[in-house]
Each structure stands twice: as structure tokens, then as C-alpha cells.
Amino acid sequence: MPCSRRIYTYIGLLGVSSFLWLFLSSEEQKVIGHISAKRMANNLSRIDQFVSRVISRQEERKRNLSSFCKAEKAMSSIQPRQLNHLIVDKKHKIVYCYIPKVACTSWKKIMAQLVNLNYKGTSVHKLRFDLLSYHSKSDVLHILNNYYKFMFVRDPYSRLLSAFKDKFSKKSNDIYVKYERKIKRSVRLKLVGDANTRTSQIDINFEAFISYLIDISQKGGRLNEHWRQYYKLCFPCQINYDFIGHYETLEEDARFALYNAGVDELVAFPPVSYTSTKDDLGHFYSEVPPEYISKLQSIYGADFEMFGYKNRTVT
């Protein structure tokens, strides 16, 4: 069991304590013995509860995913070139599939530390990681069969809002510059049916962003990685992940994932500080027409179902 090593660590510490025990008086032994035993029991209880919670959630998530994948037999096979979101750490035999807007900056920093890539003074997103897509088909099969593989997801509604707030709050943002005209053109066509209508009065608000996503999806276009579906980034039906973490339980899941990967003594996930996105969900989505919400549920339907967000609402 994953908790065994930690329990043995505490037992080892007890061995050192027993040596010091010889130099204490009988009364001191009684007092300290009572306190130590109580602390030990509390520590072991907390460890047991933590492990039980994470394992229970993990079993439920994998059952849910397995059930979905069995029902969706038409999921296409994947080619190595599509695996460009899976970071490989050969030294520690780890594969992490990163999904933008799901704590991927923190996770990329963790992976950079493990593979000795220096990101000081630059964006971690500009680092040249060893991606699974760089490998031959035979190497890909070997890595997927022998390495520890993990990924993290979050409520699709929350991720979309996080992407919008991050990428469209500043007009100098590269993503804003790249998609401004595309989004405004999409909105123009829906409002008046004329692509040549002036855009000066059109704002890129959340409704316009969602409208654009729907428009591109219905035309069969490829979505940007920041709002592309999880199953098109990490291929969870085709790849048997050892651990599936959720942003909503990030702190516990991150600790457990690093422990299971055997690198918890080398790196540590930073303290989790959630943004205001969760509190803003109702406000932003209340401005989106109900028919748009329905279409989003269709576009991201697989993500909602396979990761347990099926009955999620934003009202």
C-alpha cells in the first residue's frame, strides 16, 4: 500500500526515540510516553484517512473513465505525432500529460526540476521538454507500458472561464492578438450575417468567446490547446493512466501523485491558492444564452462524462 513507506518512517523514528528513553526518569517517561503515543496515533490516523480518501476517489474516477471508454468503442487510435502534450522524464520513468489551465504551469516547473531544465528568467512554457511525440512508435509503446503516467483535469466550465479571464483580459496578450479578429468576425456573422460589418462596437466578452468556440466546433475546426477537449490532448481512453488528478482536489492529489511516482523527496508541489474563477462561474455564465450552454455540453460532452462532471451545472 502507498502508506507503508510513511508508516515505516515513523517506526524508524520510534527506534531513535527508544534509545533516548533510557536517559529519562520514570515520571518523565510516563508523561512523554503518553504524549508520544497520542501523537503517533493521530499521525497514523491522518495518514490513513488521507490515503483512503485519495485511493477511494481514484478508484471511482477510473471506474467512471473505464465505463465511458467501453461504451465509446469508436475512439480512434493515436499516432505518436499526436502525443505532443505528454512530457517524458526518462530518469525517473514518468510521463505527465499537461492540460493548459489545469495547474500546468506548476506541473511543468516540477517536471523541469526533475529533468534539470532551468526556467529561471524565462517562461517554463518555452522550455524544450522531451515530448512523447518525439519518440518512435516502438519507444512510445515501451514508455507507455513501463512509465508512471498521470494527468490532471478540472470542471470544463471552470477551465473555459479561466482561459477566457487569463487570455482575454489584456489586449497585449499573444492569444488575444491572435484570436481578436476571428472572434469578432464570428460574432458579426451571427449578429447581422455580414462579415464586412464594422467591428469597432464589438467587445470580446465571455459570451462572444463562447459563441466563437461553438462556431469553430460546428465547422469542424481545431480548438486552441487552452480550450481543446481533454480527450484530444491526453487520450485517456487509449492510454492507461496510473493516476488521474482533479483540480478540485489538487493539493491532496498532487502529493499522492508525486509519492506514487517516487519523487516526493526530490520535488514538492507548491501551496495551492485557488483563483476567483470558482466564485465567478455563476456571474459569467449567467450572461451566456441557455442554448449556448446546451451546445457547450455537447462539445465537451466526453470530458464531462469521462471525468465525472456529467451533472455539473453553472446556474
Side-chain angles (χ1 to χ4, degrees):
M1 291 291 292
C3 64
S4 298
R5 196 177 81 190
R6 296 196 187 280
I7 292 176
Y8 292 149
T9 299
Y10 280 109
I11 292 175
L13 291 174
L14 276 180
V16 175
S17 300
S18 63
F19 176 77
L20 298 175
W21 193 264
L22 299 174
F23 298 91
L24 301 176
S25 67
S26 58
E27 287 303 315
E28 289 173 326
Q29 288 178 4
K30 288 179 182 179
V31 174
I32 295 177
H34 176 72
I35 295 174
S36 298
K38 189 172 182 179
R39 285 178 178 172
M40 174 60 69
N42 289 338
N43 285 336
L44 292 179
S45 177
R46 284 197 296 269
I47 292 169
D48 185 55
Q49 291 172 14
F50 162 70
V51 172
S52 295
R53 279 197 308 273
V54 178
I55 289 179
S56 177
R57 287 198 302 257
Q58 199 60 204
E59 290 175 345
E60 181 180 356
R61 290 169 187 171
K62 288 189 175 183
R63 280 196 305 268
N64 196 70
L65 177 60
S66 177
S67 176
F68 175 88
C69 293
K70 287 179 180 178
E72 296 292 325
K73 296 180 181 179
M75 281 284 179
S76 61
S77 59
I78 50 177
Q79 299 299 320
R81 61 181 173 79
Q82 296 175 279
L83 304 173
N84 60 349
H85 276 70
L86 282 81
I87 298 175
V88 179
D89 172 5
K90 286 187 174 180
K91 181 178 180 180
H92 304 98
K93 294 188 174 182
I94 297 172
V95 174
Y96 159 61
C97 183
Y98 72 90
I99 295 177
K101 307 314 303 172
V102 189
C104 83
T105 299
S106 295
W107 277 117
K108 281 186 175 181
K109 289 180 179 179
I110 292 285
M111 296 301 291
Q113 292 176 55
L114 290 175
V115 299
N116 295 318
L117 284 178
N118 184 10
Y119 57 86
K120 303 300 181 183
T122 187
S123 169
V124 71
H125 302 294
K126 294 182 179 180
L127 295 180
R128 186 173 174 80
F129 286 102
D130 180 15
L131 303 178
L132 198 55
S133 57
Y134 298 159
H135 295 257
S136 66
K137 192 170 184 177
S138 59
D139 284 347
V140 167
L141 290 174
H142 173 77
I143 290 171
L144 291 180
N145 286 330
N146 294 279
Y147 284 30
Y148 180 80
K149 305 169 294 297
F150 72 99
M151 62 179 289
F152 274 73
V153 299
R154 73 188 291 183
D155 170 17
Y157 286 132
S158 177
R159 177 175 175 245
L160 287 179
L161 178 55
S162 178
F164 171 76
K165 291 170 65 177
D166 181 38
K167 302 304 178 185
F168 294 98
S169 60
K170 296 181 180 179
K171 294 186 178 182
S172 59
N173 186 294
D174 290 343
I175 296 291
Y176 186 100
V177 173
K178 181 178 180 179
Y179 286 93
E180 178 186 16
R181 292 182 64 185
K182 295 180 181 180
I183 293 176
K184 288 186 175 182
R185 184 177 186 278
S186 175
V187 173
R188 275 202 312 272
L189 290 172
K190 287 189 176 182
L191 289 177
V192 295
D194 183 3
N196 296 315
T197 301
R198 296 179 62 183
T199 62
S200 58
Q201 300 302 316
I202 298 177
D203 293 324
I204 299 182
N205 54 26
F206 190 55
E207 180 183 348
F209 171 64
I210 296 301
S211 174
Y212 167 75
L213 293 186
I214 294 171
D215 186 36
I216 293 299
S217 298
Q218 290 179 335
K219 292 177 179 178
R222 190 166 185 260
L223 297 177
N224 178 279
E225 65 172 353
H226 291 87
W227 45 85
R228 195 179 309 158
Q229 297 93 328
Y230 302 147
Y231 76 93
K232 291 184 177 181
L233 293 174
C234 295
F235 306 96
C237 282
Q238 295 92 331
I239 297 175
N240 183 25
Y241 285 90
D242 298 286
F243 190 85
I244 300 170
H246 279 207
Y247 185 78
E248 294 78 11
T249 50
L250 178 58
E251 186 170 3
E252 289 190 343
D253 286 356
R255 286 170 54 198
F256 199 84
L258 291 175
Y259 179 90
N260 268 358
V263 294
D264 57 309
E265 295 181 358
L266 302 176
V267 290
F269 199 83
V272 176
S273 178
Y274 291 105
T275 64
S276 62
T277 298
K278 183 178 179 181
D279 297 329
D280 290 342
L281 275 175
H283 169 69
F284 277 85
Y285 277 96
S286 67
E287 300 175 353
V288 177
E291 59 269 26
Y292 283 13
I293 301 295
S294 179
K295 290 176 180 177
L296 280 182
Q297 291 173 344
S298 177
I299 294 168
Y300 294 93
D303 288 347
F304 278 111
E305 288 197 38
M306 67 173 63
F307 295 112
Y309 297 107
K310 184 177 180 180
N311 298 317
R312 181 74 175 92
T313 62
V314 288
T315 56

